[in-house]
Each structure stands twice: as structure tokens, then as C-alpha cells.
Amino acid sequence: MKFFLLLSAIGLCWAQYTPHTQPGRTSIVHLFEWRWADIALECERYLAPYGFGGVQVSPPNDNIIVNNPYRPWWERYQPISYKLCTRSGNEDEFRNMVTKCNNVGVRIYVDAVINHMCGEDHGAESRSTCGSCSNPRNRKFPAVPYSAWDFNDGKCKTGSGGIESYNQDADQVIDLGGESVKSNEYFGNGRVTEFKYGAKLGTVIRKWDGEKMCYLRNWGEGWGFVPSDRALVFVDNHDNQRGHGAGGASILTFWDARMYKMAVGFMLAHPYGFTRVMSSYRWQRNFQNGKDINDWMGPPNDNGVTKEVTINPDTTCGNDWVCEHRWRQIRNMVVFRNVVDGQPFSNWWDNGSNQVAFGRGNRGFIVFNNDDSSMSSTLQTGLPAGTYCDVISGDKLDGCCTGIEVHVSEDGNAHFSISNTAEDPFIAIHAESKL
């Protein structure tokens, strides 16, 4: 054991920045509030076959049961103890999920809430998902056990310390530029969540504040983000898709499906950072004075019991699970990122506005038309000559393409026509989509 710990300490100089996915797998997905049994199935039937590297799971530890409002999503972030039983499942189901996912090369990343316990507004004898006793107001959590002597009240920079731990692989640090807690303070722990990424990209795709996609040529550190090898990036997360956390109104979510797919497509094609895809559930929104008063709502359930993630004949999900990771455009861009991994950012083109394109060496090329007019341009792709299947509009199946075919000439050029009214106004081709 001592030898193992010594090796760990020496390796920490670089290992904390490595996502630890299997080689050739470059993205993870957050299956927010999924049951452990459903995640185990999804690893085997979908995530592994399409090259997802891992799953971020919701906090697995014992949490308080909140009944007002009824079983909100955020009760998962109100720990009572570190026992492994939640509405997602028990310890045996958690262990089975980890084993099954790892057996097919999909890693599990735990949203581990270790910097705080349940809030003091919950009184004595509060019920928890494991049946543990607690008295949050008096800082008593005997199932850990913690007492008032174990707390550090008033000594942190922010009320919560400003950080929630994602194991050793990424720290959730909300730093939009004006916070007292800075992202670089946590580089020693591992990658940090770059919240500016989704906020800025959403502003560009929405064309707010005079932003244009042509300005994305120096995307990444050139926009004031943390270094690429320190960043975990995402378009939205469980917090800011509800207007919480960080990012504000510019954040794109599944509710904005057309723009959202473009944003996720751009993220997965661009080399900056390590990418995480969101997988959500629907809830009944109710906007009053510009605010969704139902933003607290927990996962689809029957009397508090989380519903199974059912799969429809068209491979989408039922029971109000959105499953953005199963959308063809997003799933195929996860594959795209795997195919172009390690290739340089290349062959940038733009029209000075919102039509842009870029390549990833000689392995992939992507084109966007976010303008208010159609696009028709011949562009240098950097790809070998041949006919390629656009993985946004279709799939390569048995050597044929179910979507748009793109013909690359001997000199690497190809003609792209994209209507500004297209359902998905972008095209992506890569080495493995060649017919």
C-alpha cells in the first residue's frame, strides 16, 4: 500500500489532468439523475458502441429527502452521510453499474459532494434516502459521523467554499471573471469546469451583443479561457440549463434544439478542452415574470420513484428523458471527435459573418451556416479525395449514406450548400464517413 501511495504522489504531477478514458475516447456524458440500472444498460447498448469515454453520474451518497418543493433535483446536493443509497439506486446497483460500464470501456465519474453537508434550514430528525438520522441545524450527522466540531464555518472564501468536487478529474469552479474564487487556484487538483465556455458560445450562436461566428477563429485561450489541458468544457450543465449556477440567459439547452445542436457540434469539432455532453429530462416549465418557477423539479417519477429510461423504436428516449446524447447530430459528433483526436486545427474559413468552416488535419471538416441567407461555397477541406457521408444529416450504413453526400476533389476542395432554413444548418465529414 505504501508503494502504491508513493507512486500516486509522483504521478500526480500530470495524472490529475488526464481524463483516464480509454485511448480513442474523448468525451463523457452527464446522465443527469439516471438510475444506476439504466446507466449500466446504456453503457453496454449505446455508449460503448458509439465511443463515449465515460459517464458523469449524479451524487451517489445519502441525501436529505425534501418534500417542499416535492423531491427537487437539488436534494441530491444536500448530503446526510456518505452511504451509497439514493433515488438512483443502492450500493449493490452502483457497484454493478461501475463493473458493467468499465467492462465495456466506459468510465464512471462521480459528482462527489464533499465540501458541505445538508443546509441548516432542514430541522432535526430530517429523513434521508438511506434512513439516516441528522440534525443539520446543530451540525449533527451521526451516520458519518460529523458534529459541530468538524465544520469550518465562516473561514471559506464563499459561503460554500466555491467548489464541488468531481472526484480527482475535474473541480466545479464557477469563475466568470468577477468571482473571488479563481479557476487557477484549483489547477493543482486537476481540470476545472470552464463556465465561460458555454456562456460565450451561447452568446455567439444566438448572435447577441454583436457577436459572430467568424470571431471564433481564436476560440479557447484567446477568449480568456483557462489553458486547454486544464479545461472541462460543456455547452450547458444541470445547473445553468435552469438559470442557476453561471452563464445567464445566453446558455443554450435542449429547449433551443436547433441552436443547441450547432453549439454542441462546434464544441465536439474544436480541439479546445475535454468535452462533456449533457443528457437531461423534461419538466413542466412555468414562466412568471421571466422566471421558470418550476426550475426545481426533479426527474420523471411516480410518487417520488424515479422512472425507468425507456427506449423508443427510433432510439430516442421515453418517460420524459431527453437523452441529447442519443440525438444523431450529437452522437455522431462524439464519433467525429474521436476520429480527429490529435489532429491540428486547420483550414479555417469564414465569410466575415456567421458562415464558418474548419478542419482537423486530414481527418475531419465541419461547416456552419448561422447566417440569415443561404451558403454556397467551395472550400479546402484538407481531406483525401473521395465521397463522404455528412454525419449531421445522416449515417454511413453498409457503405451507403442516409444523408447528404459530399464530394472531395483531388485537390482537397469540396462544394458546400447549406440553406439558412435547414433543420440543421451544418455539415460534418470525417475519415471514417468516407464511402
Side-chain angles (χ1 to χ4, degrees):
M1 178 60 72
K2 291 182 179 178
F3 180 66
F4 174 78
L5 291 174
L6 178 62
L7 279 179
S8 296
I10 294 172
L12 195 61
C13 293
W14 63 87
Q16 74 268 38
Y17 305 120
T18 302
H20 304 295
T21 53
Q22 279 198 340
R25 300 190 181 192
T26 58
S27 300
I28 64 173
V29 57
H30 185 184
L31 299 182
F32 181 52
E33 283 278 15
W34 280 41
R35 304 182 314 159
W36 309 147
D38 290 325
I39 294 175
L41 288 172
E42 191 73 348
C43 283
E44 296 176 327
R45 70 193 173 195
Y46 201 87
L47 300 181
Y50 285 106
F52 285 83
V55 177
Q56 178 182 317
V57 301
S58 293
N61 57 283
D62 186 17
N63 62 261
I64 196 167
I65 293 176
V66 178
N67 289 309
N68 186 23
Y70 185 67
R71 306 307 302 274
W73 64 267
W74 47 260
E75 80 168 34
R76 298 291 289 268
Y77 296 86
Q78 301 292 316
I80 293 298
S81 79
Y82 304 121
K83 297 176 182 178
L84 298 179
C85 43
T86 67
R87 60 186 171 206
S88 288
N90 59 35
E91 183 172 350
D92 287 339
E93 291 168 320
F94 185 85
R95 184 182 293 110
N96 181 63
M97 170 195 69
V98 173
T99 299
K100 287 193 171 185
C101 290
N102 274 296
N103 284 346
V104 293
V106 180
R107 306 302 184 220
I108 298 297
Y109 299 84
V110 175
D111 190 349
V113 186
I114 58 175
N115 70 305
H116 68 261
M117 299 300 285
C118 173
E120 63 181 11
D121 52 331
H122 301 286
E125 305 304 323
S126 298
R127 293 176 56 221
S128 80
T129 51
C130 288
S132 302
C133 297
S134 67
N135 189 332
R137 289 178 185 168
N138 292 329
R139 310 289 199 272
K140 292 182 179 180
F141 299 92
V144 178
Y146 283 154
S147 70
W149 292 99
D150 296 297
F151 289 82
N152 197 30
D153 296 355
K155 297 179 182 177
C156 294
K157 292 185 178 180
T158 65
S160 68
I163 175 174
E164 287 177 358
S165 174
Y166 286 79
N167 206 344
Q168 277 284 12
D169 292 293
D171 291 315
Q172 179 168 304
V173 182
I174 300 176
D175 178 7
L176 293 176
E179 285 73 20
S180 59
V181 175
K182 302 299 181 184
S183 295
N184 60 14
E185 295 178 39
Y186 294 92
F187 286 172
N189 295 340
R191 288 180 182 259
V192 297
T193 47
E194 180 49 277
F195 275 88
K196 293 190 289 292
Y197 191 102
K200 295 290 187 181
L201 187 57
T203 300
V204 172
I205 298 295
R206 291 180 185 276
K207 297 185 280 191
W208 287 358
D209 301 331
E211 295 287 5
K212 301 176 182 179
M213 288 194 76
C214 66
Y215 300 154
L216 297 174
R217 182 168 191 156
N218 66 336
W219 183 248
E221 290 93 337
W223 280 61
F225 301 162
V226 301
S228 180
D229 63 355
R230 301 293 188 267
L232 175 71
V233 299
F234 46 94
V235 172
D236 64 328
N237 80 340
H238 65 282
D239 243 343
N240 61 22
Q241 71 175 193
R242 291 165 171 76
H244 296 258
S250 70
I251 296 298
L252 291 168
T253 73
F254 68 88
W255 299 107
D256 318 293
R258 187 173 185 265
M259 291 187 292
Y260 185 72
K261 286 180 283 186
M262 279 195 286
V264 176
F266 182 91
M267 175 185 75
L268 292 169
H270 196 278
Y272 176 82
F274 183 75
T275 50
R276 181 181 66 197
V277 173
M278 184 65 193
S279 192
S280 316
Y281 58 82
R282 293 180 186 85
W283 68 93
Q284 186 175 354
R285 296 193 294 179
N286 182 5
F287 284 95
Q288 295 187 16
N289 299 318
K291 176 177 171 52
D292 177 16
I293 63 172
N294 283 345
D295 62 8
W296 55 269
M297 293 185 73
N301 69 89
D302 289 317
N303 297 318
V305 178
T306 301
K307 289 184 178 181
E308 173 189 3
V309 179
T310 56
I311 307 301
N312 300 321
D314 64 356
T315 77
T316 60
C317 296
N319 273 345
D320 282 328
W321 297 97
V322 180
C323 296
E324 300 97 310
H325 70 286
R326 280 178 167 259
W327 294 1
R328 180 189 65 248
Q329 301 85 345
I330 292 176
R331 168 247 293 164
N332 283 350
M333 285 306 299
V334 169
V335 175
F336 179 104
R337 189 173 188 84
N338 290 342
V339 172
V340 305
D341 185 33
Q343 294 294 307
F345 180 75
S346 59
N347 292 308
W348 174 269
W349 171 89
D350 66 69
N351 71 338
S353 188
N354 288 293
Q355 295 176 4
V356 303
F358 62 88
R360 295 294 303 277
N362 63 355
R363 298 284 289 172
F365 193 75
I366 192 164
V367 187
F368 296 87
N369 179 17
N370 198 30
D371 259 344
D372 296 326
S373 58
S374 294
M375 170 188 173
S376 181
S377 299
T378 298
L379 305 175
Q380 174 56 238
T381 67
L383 272 61
T387 300
Y388 294 78
C389 182
D390 167 37
V391 297
I392 303 304
S393 60
D395 294 290
K396 176 185 173 182
L397 294 174
D398 300 322
C400 298
C401 183
T402 64
I404 297 168
E405 294 185 4
V406 177
H407 304 283
V408 176
S409 62
E410 292 294 334
D411 61 2
N413 285 322
H415 188 79
F416 296 90
S417 295
I418 305 176
S419 171
N420 60 301
T421 61
E423 177 185 356
D424 297 307
F426 63 115
I427 291 174
I429 56 177
H430 58 74
E432 293 185 11
S433 75
K434 188 176 182 181
L435 300 175

